[in-house]
Short mmCIF file of all heavy atoms in Angstrom, two decimals:
data_model
loop_
_atom_site.label_atom_id
_atom_site.label_comp_id
_atom_site.label_asym_id
_atom_site.label_seq_id
_atom_site.Cartn_x
_atom_site.Cartn_y
_atom_site.Cartn_z
N LEU A 6 -32.22 68.74 -26.16
CA LEU A 6 -31.18 69.72 -26.52
C LEU A 6 -31.74 70.83 -27.41
O LEU A 6 -31.45 72.01 -27.18
CB LEU A 6 -30.04 68.99 -27.24
CG LEU A 6 -28.95 69.88 -27.84
CD1 LEU A 6 -28.22 70.66 -26.76
CD2 LEU A 6 -27.99 69.04 -28.67
N PHE A 7 -32.54 70.47 -28.41
CA PHE A 7 -32.99 71.50 -29.34
C PHE A 7 -34.07 72.39 -28.71
O PHE A 7 -34.18 73.57 -29.08
CB PHE A 7 -33.46 70.87 -30.65
CG PHE A 7 -32.30 70.41 -31.53
CD1 PHE A 7 -30.99 70.57 -31.14
CD2 PHE A 7 -32.55 69.83 -32.77
CE1 PHE A 7 -29.92 70.16 -31.94
CE2 PHE A 7 -31.49 69.42 -33.59
CZ PHE A 7 -30.18 69.58 -33.17
N ILE A 10 -31.95 74.91 -27.04
CA ILE A 10 -31.42 75.89 -27.99
C ILE A 10 -32.53 76.88 -28.37
O ILE A 10 -32.32 78.10 -28.38
CB ILE A 10 -30.83 75.19 -29.23
CG1 ILE A 10 -29.51 74.50 -28.84
CG2 ILE A 10 -30.63 76.17 -30.38
CD1 ILE A 10 -28.85 73.70 -29.96
N VAL A 15 -29.24 76.92 -24.24
CA VAL A 15 -27.98 76.39 -24.78
C VAL A 15 -27.64 77.26 -25.98
O VAL A 15 -28.52 77.56 -26.80
CB VAL A 15 -28.14 74.91 -25.20
CG1 VAL A 15 -26.93 74.43 -25.99
CG2 VAL A 15 -28.35 74.02 -23.96
N SER A 16 -26.41 77.70 -26.05
CA SER A 16 -26.04 78.63 -27.13
C SER A 16 -25.88 77.88 -28.46
O SER A 16 -25.55 76.69 -28.50
CB SER A 16 -24.75 79.37 -26.78
OG SER A 16 -23.70 78.46 -26.70
N ALA A 17 -26.13 78.61 -29.51
CA ALA A 17 -25.98 78.07 -30.85
C ALA A 17 -25.63 79.24 -31.78
O ALA A 17 -25.85 80.41 -31.43
CB ALA A 17 -27.28 77.40 -31.32
N ASP A 18 -25.07 78.91 -32.92
CA ASP A 18 -24.70 79.92 -33.91
C ASP A 18 -25.92 80.18 -34.80
O ASP A 18 -26.05 79.63 -35.89
CB ASP A 18 -23.50 79.41 -34.71
CG ASP A 18 -22.95 80.46 -35.66
OD1 ASP A 18 -23.50 81.58 -35.71
OD2 ASP A 18 -21.96 80.15 -36.36
N PHE A 29 -29.84 77.43 -37.06
CA PHE A 29 -28.49 77.61 -36.52
C PHE A 29 -27.53 76.65 -37.21
O PHE A 29 -27.95 75.64 -37.80
CB PHE A 29 -28.48 77.40 -34.99
CG PHE A 29 -29.08 76.10 -34.53
CD1 PHE A 29 -28.32 74.96 -34.37
CD2 PHE A 29 -30.46 76.02 -34.27
CE1 PHE A 29 -28.89 73.77 -33.95
CE2 PHE A 29 -31.04 74.82 -33.85
CZ PHE A 29 -30.25 73.69 -33.69
N ARG A 30 -26.24 76.96 -37.13
CA ARG A 30 -25.23 76.15 -37.81
C ARG A 30 -25.01 74.83 -37.05
O ARG A 30 -24.94 74.83 -35.83
CB ARG A 30 -23.91 76.91 -37.95
CG ARG A 30 -24.07 78.11 -38.84
CD ARG A 30 -22.76 78.75 -39.27
NE ARG A 30 -23.08 80.04 -39.90
CZ ARG A 30 -23.48 80.19 -41.15
NH1 ARG A 30 -23.59 79.13 -41.93
NH2 ARG A 30 -23.79 81.38 -41.62
N ASP A 31 -24.92 73.75 -37.84
CA ASP A 31 -24.67 72.44 -37.24
C ASP A 31 -23.28 72.44 -36.61
O ASP A 31 -22.32 72.94 -37.17
CB ASP A 31 -24.77 71.35 -38.32
CG ASP A 31 -24.90 69.97 -37.72
OD1 ASP A 31 -23.93 69.47 -37.11
OD2 ASP A 31 -25.99 69.37 -37.86
N ILE A 32 -23.20 71.84 -35.41
CA ILE A 32 -21.94 71.83 -34.66
C ILE A 32 -20.91 70.90 -35.31
O ILE A 32 -19.71 71.04 -35.06
CB ILE A 32 -22.23 71.41 -33.20
CG1 ILE A 32 -21.15 71.91 -32.25
CG2 ILE A 32 -22.45 69.92 -33.07
CD1 ILE A 32 -21.53 71.84 -30.79
N ASN A 33 -21.36 69.99 -36.14
CA ASN A 33 -20.48 69.02 -36.81
C ASN A 33 -20.81 69.01 -38.31
O ASN A 33 -21.39 68.06 -38.82
CB ASN A 33 -20.69 67.63 -36.19
CG ASN A 33 -19.77 66.59 -36.79
OD1 ASN A 33 -18.70 66.90 -37.31
ND2 ASN A 33 -20.18 65.33 -36.73
N PRO A 34 -20.45 70.10 -38.99
CA PRO A 34 -20.94 70.29 -40.37
C PRO A 34 -20.47 69.21 -41.33
O PRO A 34 -19.31 68.81 -41.32
CB PRO A 34 -20.39 71.67 -40.75
CG PRO A 34 -19.27 71.94 -39.80
CD PRO A 34 -19.60 71.20 -38.54
N GLN A 35 -21.40 68.78 -42.16
CA GLN A 35 -21.13 67.76 -43.17
C GLN A 35 -20.96 68.36 -44.56
O GLN A 35 -20.82 67.63 -45.55
CB GLN A 35 -22.27 66.73 -43.19
CG GLN A 35 -22.47 66.04 -41.85
CD GLN A 35 -21.22 65.29 -41.39
OE1 GLN A 35 -20.65 64.51 -42.13
NE2 GLN A 35 -20.79 65.57 -40.16
N HIS A 39 -23.93 74.04 -43.52
CA HIS A 39 -24.78 73.02 -42.88
C HIS A 39 -25.53 73.68 -41.75
O HIS A 39 -24.97 73.99 -40.70
CB HIS A 39 -23.94 71.84 -42.36
CG HIS A 39 -24.76 70.69 -41.87
ND1 HIS A 39 -24.20 69.50 -41.46
CD2 HIS A 39 -26.11 70.53 -41.71
CE1 HIS A 39 -25.15 68.66 -41.08
NE2 HIS A 39 -26.32 69.28 -41.21
N LEU A 41 -29.29 73.85 -39.48
CA LEU A 41 -30.47 73.12 -39.03
C LEU A 41 -31.60 74.11 -38.81
O LEU A 41 -31.38 75.16 -38.19
CB LEU A 41 -30.17 72.39 -37.71
CG LEU A 41 -29.00 71.42 -37.72
CD1 LEU A 41 -28.75 70.85 -36.32
CD2 LEU A 41 -29.22 70.29 -38.72
N VAL A 86 -32.75 67.78 -45.74
CA VAL A 86 -32.87 66.41 -45.24
C VAL A 86 -33.58 66.45 -43.90
O VAL A 86 -33.27 67.30 -43.05
CB VAL A 86 -31.48 65.76 -45.04
CG1 VAL A 86 -31.60 64.39 -44.39
CG2 VAL A 86 -30.71 65.67 -46.35
N LEU A 87 -34.54 65.55 -43.73
CA LEU A 87 -35.18 65.39 -42.42
C LEU A 87 -35.11 63.89 -42.08
O LEU A 87 -35.83 63.09 -42.67
CB LEU A 87 -36.63 65.90 -42.46
CG LEU A 87 -37.29 66.21 -41.12
CD1 LEU A 87 -38.54 67.06 -41.32
CD2 LEU A 87 -37.63 64.97 -40.33
N ASN A 88 -34.18 63.54 -41.21
CA ASN A 88 -34.01 62.14 -40.83
C ASN A 88 -35.09 61.76 -39.82
O ASN A 88 -35.34 62.50 -38.87
CB ASN A 88 -32.63 61.92 -40.19
CG ASN A 88 -31.50 62.13 -41.18
OD1 ASN A 88 -31.62 61.77 -42.34
ND2 ASN A 88 -30.41 62.72 -40.72
N CYS A 89 -35.73 60.61 -40.02
CA CYS A 89 -36.77 60.15 -39.10
C CYS A 89 -36.37 58.80 -38.52
O CYS A 89 -36.33 57.79 -39.24
CB CYS A 89 -38.12 60.02 -39.83
SG CYS A 89 -39.44 59.50 -38.72
N ALA A 93 -32.65 55.97 -40.05
CA ALA A 93 -32.35 56.98 -41.07
C ALA A 93 -31.25 57.93 -40.61
O ALA A 93 -30.90 58.86 -41.34
CB ALA A 93 -33.61 57.77 -41.41
N GLY A 94 -30.76 57.72 -39.38
CA GLY A 94 -29.67 58.56 -38.89
C GLY A 94 -30.09 59.64 -37.92
O GLY A 94 -29.27 60.49 -37.56
N GLN A 95 -31.35 59.65 -37.49
CA GLN A 95 -31.76 60.69 -36.53
C GLN A 95 -31.11 60.43 -35.18
O GLN A 95 -31.18 59.31 -34.64
CB GLN A 95 -33.29 60.72 -36.37
CG GLN A 95 -33.75 61.88 -35.48
CD GLN A 95 -35.27 62.00 -35.38
OE1 GLN A 95 -36.01 61.16 -35.89
NE2 GLN A 95 -35.72 63.07 -34.73
N SER A 96 -30.47 61.46 -34.65
CA SER A 96 -29.79 61.34 -33.35
C SER A 96 -30.32 62.32 -32.32
O SER A 96 -30.11 62.12 -31.13
CB SER A 96 -28.28 61.53 -33.52
OG SER A 96 -28.00 62.82 -34.04
N VAL A 97 -30.98 63.38 -32.77
CA VAL A 97 -31.61 64.34 -31.85
C VAL A 97 -33.12 64.26 -32.10
O VAL A 97 -33.58 64.50 -33.23
CB VAL A 97 -31.10 65.77 -32.08
CG1 VAL A 97 -31.83 66.75 -31.16
CG2 VAL A 97 -29.58 65.85 -31.84
N PHE A 98 -33.87 63.94 -31.03
CA PHE A 98 -35.29 63.64 -31.20
C PHE A 98 -36.16 64.88 -30.96
O PHE A 98 -36.99 64.93 -30.04
CB PHE A 98 -35.66 62.40 -30.38
CG PHE A 98 -35.05 61.18 -31.01
CD1 PHE A 98 -33.74 60.83 -30.72
CD2 PHE A 98 -35.72 60.49 -32.01
CE1 PHE A 98 -33.13 59.77 -31.37
CE2 PHE A 98 -35.13 59.43 -32.67
CZ PHE A 98 -33.83 59.07 -32.35
N HIS A 99 -35.95 65.82 -31.83
CA HIS A 99 -36.72 67.06 -31.97
C HIS A 99 -36.55 67.38 -33.44
O HIS A 99 -35.41 67.61 -33.89
CB HIS A 99 -36.13 68.15 -31.07
CG HIS A 99 -36.81 69.49 -31.17
ND1 HIS A 99 -37.26 70.18 -30.05
CD2 HIS A 99 -37.08 70.28 -32.24
CE1 HIS A 99 -37.78 71.34 -30.45
NE2 HIS A 99 -37.68 71.43 -31.76
N HIS A 101 -35.88 68.38 -37.14
CA HIS A 101 -35.00 69.42 -37.67
C HIS A 101 -34.75 69.15 -39.14
O HIS A 101 -34.59 68.01 -39.55
CB HIS A 101 -33.69 69.49 -36.89
CG HIS A 101 -33.03 68.16 -36.69
ND1 HIS A 101 -33.41 67.30 -35.70
CD2 HIS A 101 -32.04 67.55 -37.36
CE1 HIS A 101 -32.68 66.20 -35.76
NE2 HIS A 101 -31.84 66.32 -36.76
N HIS A 103 -32.21 69.63 -42.09
CA HIS A 103 -30.82 69.96 -42.45
C HIS A 103 -30.84 70.72 -43.77
O HIS A 103 -31.55 70.32 -44.71
CB HIS A 103 -30.01 68.70 -42.67
CG HIS A 103 -29.81 67.82 -41.47
ND1 HIS A 103 -28.63 67.78 -40.76
CD2 HIS A 103 -30.64 66.92 -40.87
CE1 HIS A 103 -28.74 66.89 -39.77
NE2 HIS A 103 -29.95 66.35 -39.82
P1 LIG B 201 -29.75 64.05 -36.93
O1 LIG B 201 -28.62 63.06 -36.93
O2 LIG B 201 -30.51 64.13 -38.21
O3 LIG B 201 -30.65 63.85 -35.72
O4 LIG B 201 -29.07 65.47 -36.80
C1 LIG B 201 -28.69 66.01 -35.59
C2 LIG B 201 -27.67 67.07 -35.90
O5 LIG B 201 -27.55 67.91 -34.77
C3 LIG B 201 -26.28 66.51 -36.19
O6 LIG B 201 -25.89 66.91 -37.50
C4 LIG B 201 -25.41 67.14 -35.11
O7 LIG B 201 -24.13 67.48 -35.55
C5 LIG B 201 -26.22 68.36 -34.71
N1 LIG B 201 -26.01 68.86 -33.38
C6 LIG B 201 -25.96 68.15 -32.24
N2 LIG B 201 -25.78 68.97 -31.18
C7 LIG B 201 -25.71 70.22 -31.69
C8 LIG B 201 -25.53 71.51 -31.11
N3 LIG B 201 -25.38 71.69 -29.79
N4 LIG B 201 -25.51 72.60 -31.92
C9 LIG B 201 -25.64 72.44 -33.25
N5 LIG B 201 -25.84 71.26 -33.86
C10 LIG B 201 -25.86 70.16 -33.09
#
Side-chain angles (χ1 to χ4, degrees):
L6 172 63
F7 285 0
I10 288 177
V15 170
S16 64
D18 186 359
F29 53 91
R30 296 192 191 279
D31 196 292
I32 204 166
N33 182 24
Q35 301 301 308
H39 188 175
L41 304 175
V86 175
L87 199 164
N88 294 322
C89 182
Q95 185 176 6
S96 61
V97 177
F98 289 85
H99 178 129
H101 48 279
H103 295 257

